[in-house]
Amino acid sequence: MSPWTPVRPEPERFHDEGSADPPRIVLERVESGDLHRRTERFRMLHRIAYRDREYGDLLVPADLGSFETDLTSVPTIFTWLVPRTGRHLPPALLHDGLVHAPDELPTYLSVEGHVLDRVAADRVFRAAMRDTDTGPVRSWLVWSAVTLSTIWHGSASWSPARHLRYRLAALATVLVVAVLGVLATLDLFDVIDGVPWMGERSFARELAGGLAGAVVVPLLLGLTWGRFAIAGVVTGVALAVLLHVTVALALITLAYQAAEWVARRTPVAAVVIAGVVITADLVLVVLFVSPFR
């Protein structure tokens, strides 16, 4: 099925094992690690099923006792864009079950006996998000992210040469877009003058040129991904558009983690940090809320 084929959402394709009832997602939280660095995962206590248009009924997990998931696998700095739960949660759990390491037993059950590789699992994931009526932009972003992971880890059906070609195309796209994004930013603020589509123009025209380049360049680079060209285009454009937001959020996250590290080890620092936060809040209130400004 083409990714552009219109598909009416069919949430009833997700159901409980052995019935037509809506899926019950029952999770048990599992923590591991030491006091200061803990990993959070979840064990599914109830199996869910999805009736795929090509592969029929797929049940996850195969073994309730050993299967664990991190829900939607999203880095913390991107959870504002793709939260760990939502309409995409059942497809995310399904995808976690469909993907397993080559040396592991399958973590899913196929009623019709199908064996799915990572590429097929990604395709099922995309269709499942459509069926749960996940937003189209979010669906494309998440599907492109898991496709990038598939390209990096490879598929059992690929030759080493094919895997290397996909990897090089993806790596080149990410590096070129990131470097051009930095150069375009420096050009916008007249630190350098080396991006052809921006040139020596007004700020508004350079900004428009930069945005155009953030679409056209990833579009061309994405075509080198072959059968995954759509994922390449989406990945490239998303990286170009979200580069500055991601850097800003990464810096804020690092600052927060540093503050937590200091506060845990120096009680006085906790008071200082609290004072800085309260002062900043008061300044904002005075500047934007107070009627006396």
Side-chain angles (χ1 to χ4, degrees):
M1 181 178 61
S2 166
W4 305 112
T5 302
V7 176
R8 179 179 61 84
E10 298 180 27
E12 65 275 7
R13 286 186 174 274
F14 273 101
H15 56 92
D16 264 355
E17 179 184 9
S19 76
D21 296 334
R24 289 190 300 117
I25 297 177
V26 184
L27 303 171
E28 178 185 23
R29 185 168 177 264
V30 179
E31 279 192 323
S32 60
D34 56 29
L35 180 62
H36 300 296
R37 181 179 292 275
R38 302 192 68 81
T39 301
E40 180 187 60
R41 294 183 67 82
F42 296 86
R43 184 174 294 124
M44 292 181 66
L45 303 181
H46 191 77
R47 189 176 285 149
I48 63 172
Y50 175 70
R51 190 174 67 259
D52 184 68
R53 294 168 179 81
E54 180 176 351
Y55 298 106
D57 268 340
L58 302 169
L59 286 69
V60 170
D63 182 5
L64 290 169
S66 61
F67 178 77
E68 292 183 357
T69 173
D70 59 354
L71 306 184
T72 305
S73 305
V74 181
T76 303
I77 61 174
F78 289 121
T79 51
W80 64 273
L81 184 63
V82 181
R84 294 191 183 278
T85 63
R87 292 186 178 182
H88 55 285
L89 179 58
L93 296 175
L94 174 70
H95 186 261
D96 273 1
L98 294 179
V99 174
H100 58 90
D103 57 344
E104 292 179 345
L105 293 173
T107 49
Y108 65 92
L109 298 174
S110 171
V111 173
E112 298 180 12
H114 292 289
V115 177
L116 284 69
D117 64 1
R118 288 187 68 113
V119 176
D122 294 348
R123 188 206 62 74
V124 171
F125 181 43
R126 185 181 64 212
M129 284 192 291
R130 288 180 177 178
D131 283 326
T132 57
D133 201 22
T134 301
V137 174
R138 179 171 291 170
S139 295
W140 284 112
L141 287 173
V142 177
W143 172 74
S144 297
V146 300
T147 298
L148 183 60
S149 178
T150 293
I151 286 175
W152 189 253
H153 289 93
S155 173
S157 62
W158 296 351
S159 66
R162 188 179 184 185
H163 187 195
L164 179 61
R165 183 176 76 82
Y166 285 142
R167 264 193 173 186
L168 290 177
L171 183 60
T173 297
V174 171
L175 290 178
V176 170
V177 170
V179 170
L180 288 179
V182 173
L183 294 178
T185 302
L186 296 176
D187 196 328
L188 182 64
F189 293 101
D190 297 326
V191 177
I192 63 170
D193 180 24
V195 181
W197 51 86
M198 296 178 68
E200 291 274 0
R201 301 184 178 92
S202 66
F203 182 87
R205 294 182 66 185
E206 285 194 16
L207 180 61
L211 291 174
V215 174
V216 174
V217 173
L219 176 63
L220 297 176
L221 290 172
L223 297 179
T224 65
W225 290 34
R227 64 181 294 189
F228 303 111
I230 297 175
V233 172
V234 173
T235 299
V237 172
L239 176 60
V241 173
L242 298 176
L243 179 63
H244 304 90
V245 176
T246 303
V247 171
L249 289 174
L251 292 175
I252 293 172
T253 301
L254 286 175
Y256 161 73
Q257 291 175 344
E260 286 282 17
W261 186 87
V262 172
R264 285 181 182 275
R265 288 158 177 77
T266 311
V268 175
V271 177
V272 174
I273 293 171
V276 171
V277 172
I278 293 173
T279 302
D281 288 340
L282 290 175
V283 170
L284 290 177
V285 169
V286 171
L287 291 176
F288 297 104
V289 179
S290 173
F292 303 107
R293 67 183 186 276

